[in-house]
């Protein structure tokens, strides 16, 4: 076994985790590092050490433009004695495929090491598989090892959110770093080469170092590409032809496909392996590194590349791979310039990807089919455009979706397809709403209904009515939302279109609740839940719970809201319905905030903010985060609320604008900027009055009163705000207490007598509300009161070092081995702010380094060992 330099600690971490797995507690190990850092080599050595005491299953993702859905699982299924491969080949439901894989891990007698390589290239279905297994891995005797290029996984990379969702207690992170100069010198001595300049040029990247040392060129080649091509140039003609074909086939080289395209040449294969260009992996040939394959591919002339892809395409079609792997066929067909094959197989691949939930890959395949769709009829082309648009919406490529829908609509108009035209316009309206282009959405919805009403009644018209009900509900036009919803239900019942019926009941119910008709709205929403559950519409069940939680929360009925959110989030989590889950998580952050659970509010808001959620989820999470920071006196209030306003302004809806403007008004007031308080509250007040929304009117009026702009409460203002404005502070405090809002209760008491202000101060201190507490102290001092309680914020009393809540959060992440930049990304803060927090932590703990600070925190019990991933530094 080849010795890996400077990897002993990482191997020890793997061994430690496998020891836990052997006791029946499964775990996930994330192996991150840049390309060429040695992730595969590390995992290979670990698995080789344990092949006698563990079962090893290995799959990998490939750098194809449109990877095969569940490609790694196909690799893994071929290594197992189960019906998993049959399920995959028969396009069985994804839930059954995932369940079968989980069962396989649960029933295994000895530990299983399940490796999925290069998950930064994973298709969406594979990402969902990782999430599914990762959330349940603790119930198995398995170690799930995932390797990925951490430098390619930015904040918006789909893998980022998946990794963030894995249960922290079952995850170990191993981050591989570059080799030291000493290690490079050791490798150079073994290769009988000079180490001069190699570390500086390669940065200690093991792959780069190996390639440079393997080159016969004098000195250090200018690039690794040159190093790879230099080694390739020493190959025999037969071996080089085989290497070129291997590069076209892929990172892992199917032996049958190589034999079919390049012929069987054992001597050439032996030469490629002995020269280090390819390696044997699981009985098949594979490149030592994807970078090497890319270097060979880029060196091919256009004519040679096309000819090689043509050969691969012919072999795949001869072997009936078009049926089993249409995505792979479409990829090679495009590279071969075979338009007919692309037109035939790309749509098939796209629909298969859709069935697996791999919507990004589906969109890419539909896009490929559209590029080569010159032989399609106009209506076939329009249908393909709508398919592409549907998938683009699901992956938040809204601009592409709108463009495709518009093009399809022009075709429907030209062909006189009125029903399809009307349905298309309705779908455009939904896409435009998601893009924040509400005025255009309204026009598109109106035109869609107008077109469909010109035809005999159809289910499409019922659907258009239900979407108009939904839009009116979002804009808080209650009466109109109900009217459109009832029309949708009446027509949908004629066509037994249950999906439209559920949609309409949900929109009607939400409109009723937010307008104040709570019990009638509850009944309508719960009916929507029941109908959707019976019909098996999982996404609509989750949507109904989402509407229940948010609507009750908007009316400050937080006890009910919390219960609906709890039930809905459990439902969405079990079914991996993350769009609804994240919106409910954002609203739970707000519920926690109002109910005084500020640590939980921060955790939920940050979880949404760092997971690339939709705009509406981001808005509500940012409102919670901005208000929390303002109330605690934390930094970066403005950044959160500026982003919230940018997103909300695009919607032009009261539902989004009022919470954002109210949050900004409060933040300005706490900062002592009364002019800004007035400006922010005024910006949404008239809109709230027009819609007669008592709670939005109440809060915005309250801030206008505080800023000296308003002397009397509007008649429709919600009771607690109205009482505060009227000076009835005791009644207002009682009202807030009944609603379970301690901060608002304290705020009302702060306007009372000395005893009331002392109670307010105690409440603010208990919450950690430093700015509001300081305002009360100033008021008491102005009245001549001297015995005013002072002391550390409540959160600092629980730790002897007096760390703030944010410092405790940063310290916990330091304990997980995260660097400042990673912590900044996790907490949605700037790197500079994290630097300041780390400096403060070191000072308070009298530590000279991050490691000393973490060790001191463990010793004193400030953070527990369970907070950090096992084995991490």
């Amino acid at each position: 076994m080849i010795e890996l330099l400077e990897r002993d600690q990482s191997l020890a971490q793997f061994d430690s985790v496998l020891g836990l797995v052997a006791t029946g507690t499964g775990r996930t190990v994330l192996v991150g590092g840049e390309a060429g850092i040695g992730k595969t080599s590390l995992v290979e050595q670990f698995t080789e050490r344990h092949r006698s005491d563990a079962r090893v299953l290995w799959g990998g993702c490939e750098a194809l433009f449109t990877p095969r859905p569940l490609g790694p699982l196909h690799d893994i299924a071929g290594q197992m004695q189960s019906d998993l491969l049959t399920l995959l080949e028969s396009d069985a439901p994804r839930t059954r495929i995932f369940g079968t894989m989980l069962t396989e891990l649960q029933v295994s007698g000895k530990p299983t090491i399940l490796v999925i390589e290069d998950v930064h290239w994973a298709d969406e279905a594979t990402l969902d598989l990782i999430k599914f297994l990762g959330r349940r891995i603790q119930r198995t005797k398995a170690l799930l090892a995932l390797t990925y290029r951490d430098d390619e996984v930015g904040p918006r990379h789909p893998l980022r959110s998946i990794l963030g969702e894995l249960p922290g207690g079952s995850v170990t992170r191993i981050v591989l770093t570059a080799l030291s100069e000493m290690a490079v010198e050791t490798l150079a001595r073994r290769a009988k080469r000079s180490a001069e300049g190699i570390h500086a040029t390669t940065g200690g990247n093991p792959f780069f170092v190996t390639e440079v040392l393997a080159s016969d060129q004098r000195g250090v080649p200018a690039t690794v590409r040159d190093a790879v091509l230099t080694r390739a140039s020493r190959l025999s003609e037969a071996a080089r032809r085989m290497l070129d074909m291997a590069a076209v086939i892929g990172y892992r080289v199917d032996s049958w496909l190589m034999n079919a395209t390049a012929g069987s040449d054992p001597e050439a294969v032996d030469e490629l392996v002995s020269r280090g260009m390819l390696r044997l992996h699981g009985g098949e040939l594979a490149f030592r590194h994807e970078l090497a394959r890319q270097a060979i591919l880029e060196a091919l002339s256009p004519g040679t590349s096309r000819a090689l892809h043509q050969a691969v395409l012919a072999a795949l079609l001869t072997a009936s791979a078009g049926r089993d792997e249409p995505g792979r066929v479409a990829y090679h067909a495009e590279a071969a310039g075979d338009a007919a094959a692309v037109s035939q197989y790309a749509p098939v691949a796209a629909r298969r990807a859709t069935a697996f939930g791999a919507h990004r890959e589906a969109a890419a395949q539909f896009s490929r089919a559209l590029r080569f769709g010159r032989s399609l009829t106009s209506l076939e082309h329009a249908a393909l455009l709508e398919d592409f648009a549907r998938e683009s919406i699901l992956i938040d490529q809204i601009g592409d979706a709108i463009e495709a829908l518009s093009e399809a609509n022009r075709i429907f108009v030209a062909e006189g397809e009125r029903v399809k035209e009307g349905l298309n316009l309705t779908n455009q309206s939904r896409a435009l709403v998601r893009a924040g282009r509400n005025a255009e959405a309204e026009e598109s919805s109106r035109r869609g209904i107008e077109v469909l009403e010109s035809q005999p009644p159809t289910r499409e018209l019922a659907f258009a009515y239900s979407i108009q009900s939904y839009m009116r509900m979002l804009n808080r036009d209650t009466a109109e939302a109900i009217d459109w919803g009832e029309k949708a239900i009446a027509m949908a019942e004629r066509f037994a279109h249950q999906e439209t019926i559920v949609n309409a009941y949900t929109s009607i119910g939400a409109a009723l609740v937010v307008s104040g008709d709570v019990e009638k709205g509850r009944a309508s929403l719960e009916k929507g839940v029941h109908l959707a559950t019976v019909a098996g519409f999982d996404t609509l069940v989750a949507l109904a719970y989402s509407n229940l939680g948010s609507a009750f929360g908007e009316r400050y009925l937080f006890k009910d809201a919390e219960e609906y959110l709890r039930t809905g989030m459990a439902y969405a989590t079990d079914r991996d319905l993350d769009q609804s889950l994240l919106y409910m998580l954002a609203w739970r952050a707000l519920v926690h905030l109002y109910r005084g659970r500020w640590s939980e509010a921060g955790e939920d808001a940050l979880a949404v903010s760092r997971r690339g959620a939709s705009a509406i989820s981001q808005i509500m999470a940012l409102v919670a985060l901005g208000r929390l920071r303002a109330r605690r006196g934390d930094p970066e209030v403005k950044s959160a609320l500026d982003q919230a306003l940018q997103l909300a302004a695009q919607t032009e809806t009261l539902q989004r604008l009022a919470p954002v403007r109210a949050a900004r008004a409060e933040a300005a007031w706490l900062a002592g900027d009364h002019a800004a308080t007035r400006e922010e509250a005024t910006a949404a007040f008239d809109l709230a009055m027009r819609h007669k929304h008592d709670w939005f009117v109440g809060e915005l009026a309250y801030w206008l009163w505080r800023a000296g702009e308003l002397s009397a409460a509007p008649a429709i203002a919600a009771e607690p705000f109205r009482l505060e404005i009227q000076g009835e502070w005791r009644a207002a405090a009682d009202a807030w207490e009944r609603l379970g809002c301690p901060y608002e209760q304290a705020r009302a008491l702060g306007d009372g007598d000395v005893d009331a202000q002392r109670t307010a101060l105690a409440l603010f201190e208990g919450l950690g509300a430093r700015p509001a507490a300081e305002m009360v102290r100033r008021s008491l001092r102005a009245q001549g009161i001297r015995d005013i309680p002072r002391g550390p914020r409540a959160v600092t009393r629980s730790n002897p070092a007096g760390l703030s809540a944010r410092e405790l959060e940063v310290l916990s992440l330091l304990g997980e081995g995260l660097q400042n930049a990673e912590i900044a990304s996790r907490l949605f803060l700037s790197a500079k702010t994290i630097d300041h927090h780390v400096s403060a932590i070191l000072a308070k703990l009298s530590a000279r380094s991050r490691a000393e600070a973490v060790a001191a925190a463990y010793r004193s019990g400030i953070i527990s060992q369970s907070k950090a991933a096992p084995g991490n530094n």
Side-chain angles (χ1 to χ4, degrees), residues 263-323:
S264 177
D265 190 340
E267 291 183 3
V269 170
D270 289 344
E271 182 180 352
L272 291 172
V273 173
S274 65
R275 293 290 183 90
M277 301 305 300
L278 298 178
R279 61 189 173 95
L280 283 172
H281 179 78
E284 296 283 359
L285 291 172
F287 278 84
R288 295 185 65 82
H289 199 282
E290 175 62 19
L291 293 177
R293 187 178 82 90
Q294 291 296 331
I296 299 299
L297 276 178
E298 291 170 8
L300 296 175
S301 68
T304 300
S305 176
R306 173 175 283 209
L308 293 175
H309 279 288
Q310 287 172 342
V312 173
L313 176 62
L316 289 171
L317 292 176
T318 300
S320 300
R323 180 187 67 248

Side-chain angles (χ1 to χ4, degrees), residues 653-724:
T653 62
L654 177 69
Q655 179 191 21
R656 308 301 172 202
L657 287 169
V660 173
R661 290 295 186 181
R664 292 170 67 87
E666 178 182 9
W669 173 259
L670 291 171
D673 190 345
H674 295 185
T677 299
R678 183 167 50 252
E679 179 183 345
E680 295 291 347
T682 301
F685 182 70
D686 288 344
L687 183 63
M689 288 291 289
R690 286 200 302 273
H691 287 278
K692 298 182 175 60
H693 194 298
D694 50 350
W695 285 97
F696 289 154
V697 166
E699 181 167 18
L700 293 167
Y702 173 82
W703 293 117
L704 287 172
W705 171 67
R706 280 292 187 193
E709 187 73 12
L710 199 69
S711 58
I716 66 169
E719 181 190 36
F721 291 114
R722 179 172 48 78
L723 291 171
E724 286 194 78

Side-chain angles (χ1 to χ4, degrees), residues 24-214:
T25 304
R27 299 192 68 83
T28 300
V29 178
L30 306 178
V31 184
E34 67 181 15
I37 205 67
K39 300 180 292 294
T40 297
S41 298
L42 175 73
V43 178
E44 283 182 337
Q45 186 149 127
F46 165 66
T47 55
E48 283 301 317
R49 286 165 55 162
H50 293 284
R51 283 196 179 273
S52 62
D53 54 348
R55 175 179 61 162
V56 178
L57 301 173
W58 199 298
C61 308
E62 296 200 47
L64 298 178
F65 178 62
T66 47
R68 175 175 59 167
L70 296 176
L73 197 55
H74 281 267
D75 297 339
I76 292 162
Q79 303 160 35
M80 296 164 51
Q81 299 296 320
S82 75
D83 60 354
L84 183 60
L85 188 59
T86 301
L87 293 174
L88 287 165
E89 291 176 344
S90 63
D91 293 339
R94 195 170 62 166
T95 53
R96 187 178 174 193
I97 292 172
F98 287 6
T100 299
M101 185 68 236
L102 180 65
T103 300
E104 181 68 26
L105 297 179
Q106 290 172 327
V107 301
S108 177
K110 62 180 182 178
T112 298
I113 302 172
L114 175 61
V115 181
I116 304 180
E117 278 195 284
D118 298 320
V119 294
H120 52 280
W121 288 325
D123 63 277
E124 284 181 285
T126 298
L127 290 175
D128 287 343
L129 171 68
I130 290 169
K131 179 170 60 178
F132 177 87
L133 293 178
R135 286 175 171 175
R136 299 159 177 85
I137 200 69
Q138 290 176 293
R139 305 201 296 264
T140 73
K141 193 186 273 192
L143 187 159
L144 174 61
L146 308 173
T147 73
Y148 66 102
R149 296 182 184 175
D150 53 7
D151 57 337
E152 294 187 16
V153 181
R156 296 193 177 279
H157 192 290
L159 178 63
R160 173 72 68 182
S161 61
I162 298 299
L163 298 184
E165 294 170 43
L166 300 180
S170 65
V171 175
T172 295
R173 295 175 183 269
I174 297 176
V175 179
L176 298 184
T177 56
L179 299 176
S180 66
E181 288 191 50
M182 186 178 297
V184 173
E185 289 173 2
T186 300
L187 291 173
R189 282 197 305 273
R190 292 176 182 175
K192 299 180 180 180
R193 295 283 302 276
S194 169
E196 183 180 357
I198 293 180
H199 188 274
T201 302
T202 63
N205 181 290
F207 171 70
F208 296 168
V209 171
T210 302
E211 292 301 316
V212 168
L213 291 174

